[in-house]
Amino acid sequence: MLIAKGLSNAEIADHLVISLPTVKTHVSSLLSKLNARDRAQLVIVAYESGIAERGMPRN
């Protein structure tokens, strides 16, 4: 959901109070598991699956 909101890895790390390398590991895992080429495709998956919805606030 945080990727779909447009947050950077650093912003996600701050929001979740985890390290930047941990965020990078999780994003990489999502890309691999969902067979996504990039973050844009992760956003598409989030919207198609109902995790994200239009007009969702950034924070």
Side-chain angles (χ1 to χ4, degrees), residues 44-58:
I44 291 168
V45 169
Y47 277 92
E48 288 178 345
S49 67
I51 293 170
E53 36 186 63
R54 190 175 171 165
M56 201 170 49
R58 182 169 158 91

Side-chain angles (χ1 to χ4, degrees), residues 8-26:
S8 68
N9 286 349
E11 291 169 324
I12 292 170
D14 288 342
H15 183 81
L16 298 177
V17 191
I18 58 176
S19 71
L20 185 55
T22 299
V23 173
K24 290 179 180 181
T25 297
H26 286 292

